[in-house]
Structures are given as C-alpha cells and as structure tokens.
Amino acid sequence: YKLLSGRDLSSLRKENGVDGFQKRDESLFDCFEAGHSSTSIGAGMGMAYTRDLNNDDYRIVCVIGDASISNGVSFEALNNLNVSNKLN
C-alpha cells in the first residue's frame, strides 16, 4: 500500500526514509500507527463501526501479510467479525 500511496521504497527502513509500518506523520493514508500488520483487521473493524455510526457510505480495505494472518491478534479480529453481522 505504500507504493499505491506514492511513496518511494528506495529509502525503506533507512534513516529519514520510509518506515516499515504505517506512520501517521509519514502519509495522509496512514490513519493509525502500529508496529505489526496483524492489527489491520481489528483497526478496520473499528473504522467500519465508526463509519456506520456516522451513517457514512464508503468501503474499508484491510491489508495484511501472509505471515501476519496467523497472529493471535488477527484471529481475535476474525472471530469478532464472525459474530458482527452489521459490518459491510
């Protein structure tokens, strides 16, 4: 998603370069900070709840890596999605 948001990855994880994870002061597209992509599903759920409470109409896309999906934080969020049938 960093490439899609126009960031140059040649400075990835270098001093004064692009961070390896989302960082709010790095880009308008980084709306929260975390040190692991396993948080993306839970964060997306929170954003969806807020969207619905505000009666807004837009989609939320969660990006997660193949190794991060097996993290306990991801499983917990997936379990919550399973019982939360109000989210689109």
Side-chain angles (χ1 to χ4, degrees), residues 25-60:
D25 64 355
E26 184 178 289
S27 172
L28 157 71
F29 298 102
D30 294 348
C31 53
F32 71 101
E33 292 192 23
H36 202 278
S37 65
S38 63
T39 59
S40 63
I41 300 170
M45 284 180 59
M47 292 174 197
Y49 279 122
T50 302
R51 175 205 57 205
D52 294 349
L53 287 171
N54 290 329
N55 294 314
D56 289 332
D57 184 27
Y58 55 86
R59 298 285 181 185
I60 296 163

Side-chain angles (χ1 to χ4, degrees), residues 45 48-49 51-53 80-88:
M45 284 180 59
Y49 279 122
R51 175 205 57 205
D52 294 349
L53 287 171
N80 287 329
L81 275 174
N82 186 45
V83 296
S84 178
N85 59 6
K86 295 181 182 181
L87 299 177
N88 295 329

Side-chain angles (χ1 to χ4, degrees), residues 8-79:
D8 177 13
L9 297 186
S10 65
S11 65
L12 182 64
R13 295 186 178 170
K14 295 180 181 172
E15 187 173 357
N16 300 318
V18 176
D19 198 84
F21 296 100
Q22 59 269 31
K23 196 167 187 172
R24 291 185 316 195
D25 64 355
E26 184 178 289
S27 172
L28 157 71
F29 298 102
D30 294 348
C31 53
F32 71 101
E33 292 192 23
H36 202 278
S37 65
S38 63
T39 59
S40 63
I41 300 170
M45 284 180 59
M47 292 174 197
Y49 279 122
T50 302
R51 175 205 57 205
D52 294 349
L53 287 171
N54 290 329
N55 294 314
D56 289 332
D57 184 27
Y58 55 86
R59 298 285 181 185
I60 296 163
V61 177
C62 300
V63 178
I64 190 164
D66 58 347
S68 298
I69 194 69
S70 63
N71 185 294
V73 175
S74 298
F75 285 140
E76 183 176 352
L78 290 170
N79 283 334

